[in-house]
Amino acid sequence: MPLTTPAILSALTGAWRLARFDRTGMEFFDRTPDGALNSFYAALVVLPAYALLLAIRLWDQLDGTPVLQLVTVEGIAYVVSWTAFPLALFRIAALLGKEQLYPGALTAYNWSAVVQMGIYLPAILLSATGLLPSGVSEALVFGVMMAMLTYQWFVLRTALSLSGLAAAALVMLDLFLSAAISDLADGML
């Protein structure tokens, strides 16, 4: 079923409410299996900002890498990064007896990436400009990263009705998978 503009706006409202630590944000998501599948549209919403972040991160490597190789490797890595944690989460949710909550958790997790990018991108752009002293720039990026990890923790804890420790373990798994995928892709350039 195609995703409609009202459905996207509702999901973004839910993600924004969760970012404000408002558990009622979950009510704005389509928590059905179709809603979970449609939540991968968030990857398309985030893609332009991700491409900009990638260009900033890999700027020094861009000259010596063929464009086709860069687009292929990083394109595959992007798709894998959007699917690795959801696949792991599917299995973990089943092991925890939370299968019925998985579609809503995946939906909230995916749409929360849009809010995260909306906060992370400006921080990285400001840092990359060199307008701030190095220490302030690093502190800003670190603070935003900690806020994003806290947000992910809250989303997973709320969506799956988990303990704080279990949600933290899932956030660490997501962080590990993202870093491994990124390192592997960068090593292929």
Side-chain angles (χ1 to χ4, degrees):
M1 168 156 96
L3 199 58
T4 63
T5 301
I8 293 170
L9 293 175
S10 181
L12 292 176
T13 300
W16 177 249
R17 283 189 179 227
L18 288 173
R20 296 173 51 214
F21 299 103
D22 178 357
R23 292 177 180 275
T24 65
M26 289 302 297
E27 297 169 13
F28 291 84
F29 298 111
D30 177 355
R31 293 177 278 171
T32 66
D34 282 341
L37 187 59
N38 283 336
S39 72
F40 284 97
Y41 279 105
L44 295 176
V45 174
V46 170
L47 183 58
Y50 176 80
L52 181 56
L53 287 175
L54 189 63
I56 292 168
R57 186 168 54 87
L58 298 176
W59 188 255
D60 295 336
Q61 290 179 264
L62 293 178
D63 285 339
T65 305
V67 173
L68 182 59
Q69 179 182 352
L70 177 72
V71 170
T72 302
V73 168
E74 292 298 341
I76 292 169
Y78 188 70
V79 170
V80 170
S81 71
W82 271 88
T83 55
F85 182 70
L87 286 172
L89 186 61
F90 178 77
R91 183 70 178 134
I92 292 167
L95 290 171
L96 296 173
K98 307 275 186 177
E99 305 96 328
Q100 73 282 4
L101 297 176
Y102 174 77
L106 179 58
T107 301
Y109 171 83
N110 281 347
W111 285 110
S112 72
V114 177
V115 173
Q116 290 176 60
M117 186 60 79
I119 296 166
Y120 187 63
L121 180 62
I124 292 297
L125 289 173
L126 184 58
S127 176
T129 64
L131 294 173
L132 299 175
S134 158
V136 173
S137 179
E138 290 171 10
L140 172 67
V141 171
F142 179 77
V144 167
M145 286 291 297
M146 291 299 104
M148 288 182 1
L149 292 173
T150 303
Y151 176 40
Q152 285 179 331
W153 171 83
F154 183 76
V155 167
L156 291 168
R157 183 172 188 206
T158 301
L160 289 171
S161 295
L162 295 173
S163 70
L165 186 58
L170 288 176
V171 170
M172 290 300 105
L173 174 63
D174 183 26
L175 190 61
F176 170 77
L177 289 172
S178 294
I181 292 164
S182 186
D183 286 349
L184 183 62
D186 290 354
M188 297 173 128
L189 297 179

